Amino acid sequence: MTSDSLVASTSHRYGIHALVWTGEWTPETADDAIRRTAEAGYDLIELALLDPYAIDVDATRRSLDRHGLSMVASLGLSPATDISSEDEEIRRRGEDLLHRAAAVVRDLGGDYLCGVIYGSMSKHPGPASRRSYANSVESIQRLADTGAASGVRLGLEVVNRYESNLLNTARQAMDYLGSVDRDNVYVHLDTYHMNIEEPDMASPIAVCGDRLGYVHVGESHRGYLGSGTIDFRSFFAALSSSGYTGPITFESFSSTVVDPVLSNTLAIWRNLWRDSDDLARHARTYMQTQIEGASAVRFQ
């Protein structure tokens, strides 16, 4: 294999979560976040679309175009918009929110909506009932059908037991995908959550195979990559071996940047970093170094 082909094989789109930059999304803060994302060497920004009704789509689209970035969007449903709820009014509100979010992604020129979109992102008092599971599946099927008409794919983020009672492991996510049975629905893995729930950092990637559509790279304490306990070497080696070509997105949270809803939901009480630009540049270099190192070993 030539050096040129090796470069091609290790080419990925790198993304960063918007909460590294800002906890709000006005036209001014959006443009600043998008500009700084581009300057740090990223290809895409992940918008936290908790309120898709409030976003200024036109202003955000102009900023994305001006700085040459693409986007994805993520959100976590609240107990008041939980599509797995057995309360039909709550479920209806959740579906309305998700369909609006998918429309915003479409209008921003994106093609991916991900996160905890299959149920509420919260600590649940017990396991999901059969009815709750079925409600979630049926709602995601409807969302997937609507998204398919405009080229929007869905990613189901697998999170820890304190944030969902539906999908905590890659195997559970694959079983859920089998129930949904839609080609535009994928698994979204996150190293922070994998480190809590999975047996290791490699086998979940193999479990998902070509149904892995998106990954979050976050440290065990949500700070600088490489400063915690996560075995990133195994993770990136498995990612490279799997032939994964989707986005690799850095996610980190600190009390330096606060979103009134998301920061509290994720229990971001500690100040793990202060300099967003330094954090972002470090993560961009770290991820590319890891994936290129894994790919080089693979093709030796």
Side-chain angles (χ1 to χ4, degrees):
M1 177 172 286
T2 67
S3 59
D4 287 344
S5 60
L6 178 57
V7 169
S9 70
T10 58
S11 178
H12 287 270
R13 288 193 302 153
Y14 294 93
I16 190 168
H17 194 284
L19 208 63
V20 168
W21 310 114
T22 180
E24 56 182 355
W25 200 257
T26 65
E28 294 75 24
T29 58
D31 189 66
D32 180 69
I34 291 167
R35 174 185 59 79
R36 292 164 77 183
T37 295
E39 290 176 352
Y42 289 89
D43 307 295
L44 66 87
I45 186 168
E46 180 182 320
L47 276 61
L49 208 58
L50 297 177
D51 185 1
Y53 300 99
I55 190 170
D56 188 325
V57 172
D58 291 338
T60 299
R61 181 68 182 263
R62 287 194 298 270
S63 293
L64 290 166
D65 291 344
R66 181 163 55 251
H67 297 290
L69 282 188
S70 58
M71 60 76 63
V72 300
S74 62
L75 62 88
L77 295 173
S78 72
T81 55
D82 182 359
I83 60 170
S84 73
S85 175
E86 296 186 30
D87 183 317
E88 285 303 312
E89 177 59 23
I90 290 174
R91 189 180 176 202
R92 182 195 62 76
R93 286 199 301 267
E95 288 204 29
D96 288 348
L97 181 78
L98 290 174
H99 284 265
R100 173 59 182 167
V104 168
V105 170
R106 176 201 65 204
D107 294 343
L108 288 174
D111 66 356
Y112 210 75
L113 173 66
C114 58
V116 186
I117 60 175
Y118 48 84
S120 69
M121 188 170 69
S122 59
K123 174 69 167 64
H124 292 264
S129 68
R130 281 186 149 185
R131 183 67 259 168
S132 292
Y133 190 94
N135 285 348
S136 175
V137 167
E138 291 165 9
S139 292
I140 290 295
Q141 286 174 328
R142 286 191 284 270
L143 181 64
D145 291 342
T146 298
S150 55
V152 174
R153 297 172 297 141
L154 307 179
L156 308 176
E157 185 173 10
V158 182
V159 296
N160 69 75
R161 68 193 72 186
Y162 308 111
E163 295 180 21
S164 172
N165 64 353
L166 285 170
L167 303 184
N168 305 133
T169 68
R171 173 48 59 196
Q172 287 178 319
M174 288 298 292
D175 290 343
Y176 183 98
L177 252 62
S179 298
V180 170
D181 192 25
R182 296 295 188 273
D183 291 340
N184 62 329
V185 183
Y186 294 83
V187 179
H188 167 180
L189 291 181
D190 183 313
T191 59
Y192 170 81
H193 299 288
M194 291 168 65
N195 190 54
I196 297 171
E197 298 291 352
E198 301 285 6
D200 55 61
M201 299 302 292
S203 59
I205 295 169
V207 166
C208 294
D210 62 5
R211 302 310 296 168
L212 179 60
Y214 196 78
V215 296
H216 270 161
V217 176
E219 189 49 273
S220 58
H221 48 41
R222 296 197 182 275
Y224 275 78
L225 298 181
S227 65
T229 62
I230 291 182
D231 180 5
F232 283 118
R233 184 174 181 179
S234 293
F235 173 77
F236 281 102
L239 207 61
S240 176
S241 297
S242 73
Y244 175 77
T245 59
I248 300 173
T249 296
F250 173 56
E251 184 181 54
S252 182
F253 305 105
S254 172
S255 58
T256 294
V257 179
V258 175
D259 175 286
V261 176
L262 189 58
S263 294
N264 288 340
T265 300
L266 298 178
I268 308 302
W269 317 136
R270 291 190 292 139
N271 197 338
L272 291 165
W273 43 262
R274 296 180 183 277
D275 188 335
S276 299
D277 294 286
D278 183 67
L279 176 83
R281 288 191 298 268
H282 174 273
R284 176 66 178 81
T285 299
Y286 187 95
M287 293 188 297
Q288 184 169 356
T289 299
Q290 287 283 335
I291 199 70
E292 289 182 352
S295 297
V297 170
R298 178 185 172 202
F299 290 111
Q300 279 181 348

